[in-house]
Amino acid sequence: MTIFYETMQAKHIDAVAELDKQCFTLSWSRALFESELNSSNTFYIVAICEEKIVGYCGIQAVAGEGSITNVCVLHGYRNKGIASSLLEKIISYGKETNLEFITLEVRESNINAIKLYEKFGFEKVGARKNYYSDNKETAILMTKQL
Ligand SMILES: CC(C)(COP(=O)(O)OP(=O)(O)OC[C@H]1O[C@@H](n2cnc3c(N)ncnc32)[C@H](O)[C@@H]1OP(=O)(O)O)[C@@H](O)C(=O)NCCC(=O)NCCS
């Protein structure tokens, strides 16, 4: 299985929005992805397998701080290192653009994602109670210094 990684472009948005819907209860609209791509301080990357979008990850950078917005991989393509490759590229982008650190929020029940982030040196630095509007779940705040 060969996976290609490309910077996200407008032509990818429909497929990415569909993937997002399959991965998250609180998924993003097409318009939100469009606005992210039109912003000058964001970087989004997609994973493509046989012309199908199977994963994506994005980061917003403001005043030297990066914030990972989302990372997700389609069911059936998980546990093959795709999220790891996406995160590697996002972290490289952060280093190349001289970000000081990268933060993210993750549901406290999302053990797989927490393990993924810990593998890349993200540390738990705090929690935000009632963060997610659907089930009032706590968000764990994680940070990686670059
Ligand atoms: C979390 C997610 C992105 C991982 O994607 P993936 O491509 O399967 O991840 P990888 O194959 O690169 O695995 C990387 C690491 O994640 C952790 N991990 C991923 N899936 C795991 C599982 N089922 N059980 C335990 N650890 C897991 C491990 O630490 C793994 O490293 P290892 O293989 O060296 O043990 C994927 O499960 C997903 O899309 N989930 C739904 C969306 C989501 O929750 N995103 C995070 C929002 S904050």
Side-chain angles (χ1 to χ4, degrees):
M1 190 177 66
T2 309
I3 308 289
F4 297 97
Y5 297 90
E6 273 181 26
T7 303
M8 196 190 292
Q9 300 163 49
K11 66 177 182 185
H12 298 134
I13 288 180
D14 284 338
V16 169
E18 187 51 43
L19 168 62
D20 200 69
K21 226 183 270 177
Q22 292 179 30
C23 288
F24 297 108
T25 333
L26 301 173
S27 57
W28 281 14
S29 65
R30 206 184 174 286
L32 193 44
F33 282 108
E34 265 168 15
S35 112
E36 285 291 283
L37 284 198
N38 289 332
S39 164
S40 57
N41 63 343
T42 58
F43 177 63
Y44 278 78
I45 186 148
V46 291
I48 301 175
C49 181
E50 291 169 348
E51 298 182 18
K52 181 168 146 185
I53 305 266
V54 297
Y56 84 91
C57 186
I59 186 170
Q60 296 171 342
V62 178
E65 300 173 14
S67 174
I68 290 182
T69 54
N70 271 336
V71 52
C72 75
V73 172
L74 191 63
H75 285 286
Y77 293 85
R78 294 183 182 170
N79 299 310
K80 299 177 192 303
I82 295 177
S84 299
S85 296
L86 288 166
L87 263 187
E88 269 168 23
K89 291 173 200 314
I90 291 288
I91 292 168
S92 296
Y93 166 85
K95 288 182 177 161
E96 282 157 19
T97 54
N98 297 318
L99 297 181
E100 286 173 38
F101 60 89
I102 301 179
T103 61
L104 59 87
E105 286 108 17
V106 55
R107 288 178 191 261
E108 65 177 348
S109 65
N110 197 345
I111 305 300
N112 296 351
I114 291 171
K115 281 193 183 151
L116 164 74
Y117 299 134
E118 284 177 340
K119 184 174 148 185
F120 282 89
F122 284 84
E123 291 174 359
K124 294 178 183 173
V125 291
R128 293 181 177 156
K129 284 196 190 291
N130 300 321
Y131 186 76
Y132 295 97
S133 60
D134 57 342
N135 63 353
K136 308 283 175 245
E137 187 169 351
T138 296
I140 303 296
L141 190 63
M142 300 184 80
T143 296
K144 176 182 170 66
Q145 299 292 331
L146 296 183

